[in-house]
Amino acid sequence: MLNEEEISLLLTDLIDIYGYDFTGYAKPTLYRRINRLFKLRSFSGFTAFRYLLIHNPEYLDWFIAEITVPVTEMFRDPSFFLTLRNEVLPVLNNCPLIRIWHAGCSTGEEAYSLAIILKELQLLQKSVVYATDINPKVLKVAAAGIYQQDTMKHYTENYMHAGGIANFSDYYTAHYDLVKLDDQLKKRIVFSTHNLAADTSFNNFQLIICRNVLIYFNQELQQRVFTLFDNSLETNGFLGLGSKETLQFTRLNHYYQKLNQKEKIWQKR
Ligand SMILES: C[S@@+](CC[C@H](N)C(=O)[O-])C[C@H]1O[C@@H](n2cnc3c(N)ncnc32)[C@H](O)[C@@H]1O
């Protein structure tokens, strides 16, 4: 096991050398993940681990992916997407251009899910989805839009529970064990890096979706990100969070109205 001082040295290296600041991440999860990586490779000691992290870019990429948890799926929590389809996006129909920020998009499955719903509501052409993540590696996968064929059965079920009105297989073509999503879907998605712990806002949005990212942050960093979202969201705009995340105990709570009891979606007053 690495001790607190060693982990803090690693975190300082990551800031000094690569500009990645993980000091605002929730300690128990972060420390557990770093210790797991340390144990996985049977390093001779902390110095060997630190050396590899500093000198091997491939190991660094892998390390970053492991501690930032890029797990995702299409139409994750289908009822969230059903609510977007039925209660949120129709309201935005009045905007001449719908600007959506999908923060912490990982390998892009959620952004494509949103594009499918926008297409089915005939809103895709007048929407722009900025899908961002701290990790450039996952964004490459997102931009390619190529996924494992064996995930499609589950995604088809999610799509149907999310109110899908077409045949889900019309949105991809299969090649052996991979599928490629229809290129038309990504025409209105801009994938780019953005670090919620360090970067500022870059636009005004009518909808911000950031799910299953804030759970990994400590309270201070969560507050920073909520303020960033608030500064980036227009009045009457919507904020969608993950099932274990909430605005309830934050300073913003008074200025936002929860859309319904079940879904983690708030509207800015
Ligand atoms: C568990 S995934 C969630 C993906 C997707 N939103 C979902 O709910 O399925 C968390 C994502 O947050 C990203 N992330 C972690 N820290 C971040 C930061 N400081 N800024 C932007 N993205 C971050 C990770 O790279 C990862 O892709």
Side-chain angles (χ1 to χ4, degrees):
M1 287 276 278
L2 299 173
N3 62 40
E4 186 140 359
E5 202 181 314
E6 289 166 333
I7 293 188
S8 129
L9 256 177
L10 284 185
L11 296 182
T12 309
D13 286 343
L14 290 172
I15 297 174
D16 292 347
I17 305 172
Y18 303 108
Y20 284 125
D21 185 354
F22 293 109
T23 51
Y25 285 50
K27 252 189 183 180
T29 321
L30 182 67
Y31 281 34
R32 200 176 52 244
R33 288 189 163 265
I34 293 179
N35 264 309
R36 194 179 70 86
L37 296 181
F38 178 62
K39 275 190 242 153
L40 262 183
R41 258 188 110 146
S42 325
F43 288 102
S44 55
F46 169 67
T47 313
F49 184 37
R50 188 179 178 200
Y51 184 89
L52 190 68
L53 196 56
I54 294 175
H55 292 100
N56 185 325
E58 270 173 33
Y59 186 74
L60 173 83
D61 280 353
W62 187 71
F63 178 94
I64 299 293
E66 288 294 310
I67 63 170
T68 52
V69 202
V71 179
T72 185
E73 60 184 63
M74 289 191 82
F75 300 98
R76 184 177 194 174
D77 306 320
S79 63
F80 176 88
F81 283 92
L82 185 64
T83 308
L84 285 186
R85 178 191 287 271
N86 291 338
E87 296 178 45
V88 174
L89 295 170
V91 176
L92 301 182
N93 191 10
N94 299 328
C95 308
L97 176 68
I98 304 174
R99 290 184 303 274
I100 300 170
W101 180 12
H102 196 131
C105 68
S106 186
T107 39
E109 286 86 335
E110 275 195 327
Y112 286 109
S113 309
L114 189 62
I116 287 174
I117 296 179
L118 287 166
K119 186 172 188 313
E120 292 182 1
L121 295 175
Q122 298 183 359
L123 295 175
L124 188 58
Q125 282 315 314
K126 67 166 185 164
S127 304
V128 186
V129 180
Y130 295 91
T132 64
D133 200 283
I134 189 177
N135 182 353
K137 243 190 148 165
V138 292
L139 290 169
K140 264 196 193 158
V141 177
I146 297 174
Y147 302 106
Q148 293 296 321
Q149 159 101 303
D150 59 11
T151 53
M152 288 301 128
K153 184 173 176 290
H154 177 53
Y155 292 175
T156 305
E157 284 163 11
N158 279 359
Y159 166 73
M160 283 171 357
H161 289 129
I165 56 169
N167 192 342
F168 186 59
S169 60
D170 291 347
Y171 291 114
Y172 61 82
T173 41
H175 301 274
Y176 300 101
D177 55 349
L178 298 177
V179 302
K180 179 163 185 3
L181 293 183
D182 183 353
D183 275 342
Q184 295 300 319
L185 295 173
K186 69 176 171 205
K187 283 232 155 96
R188 308 300 297 173
I189 308 178
V190 180
F191 290 107
S192 75
T193 50
H194 181 279
N195 181 354
L196 290 166
D199 296 337
T200 52
S201 173
F202 54 95
N203 212 327
N204 264 336
F205 298 95
Q206 285 96 24
L207 169 62
I208 299 178
I209 298 173
C210 181
R211 305 176 69 225
N212 308 302
V213 180
L214 296 168
I215 33 166
Y216 299 107
F217 295 175
N218 66 22
Q219 276 201 356
E220 201 184 329
L221 183 52
Q222 285 186 15
Q223 193 52 59
R224 177 198 197 271
V225 177
F226 282 134
T227 306
L228 176 66
F229 288 161
D230 188 43
N231 292 337
S232 314
L233 197 61
E234 288 185 352
T235 305
N236 296 323
F238 296 89
L239 175 64
L241 302 177
S243 60
K244 296 191 193 90
E245 296 156 339
T246 184
L247 262 195
Q248 203 177 346
F249 307 107
T250 71
R251 277 190 274 121
L252 296 188
N253 195 32
H254 294 305
Y255 309 104
Y256 283 70
Q257 170 127 34
K258 198 149 184 274
L259 203 63
N260 63 35
Q261 275 300 71
K262 185 166 173 268
E263 297 309 327
K264 296 296 181 68
I265 302 177
W266 285 260
Q267 185 168 26
K268 184 173 175 173
R269 297 190 238 206

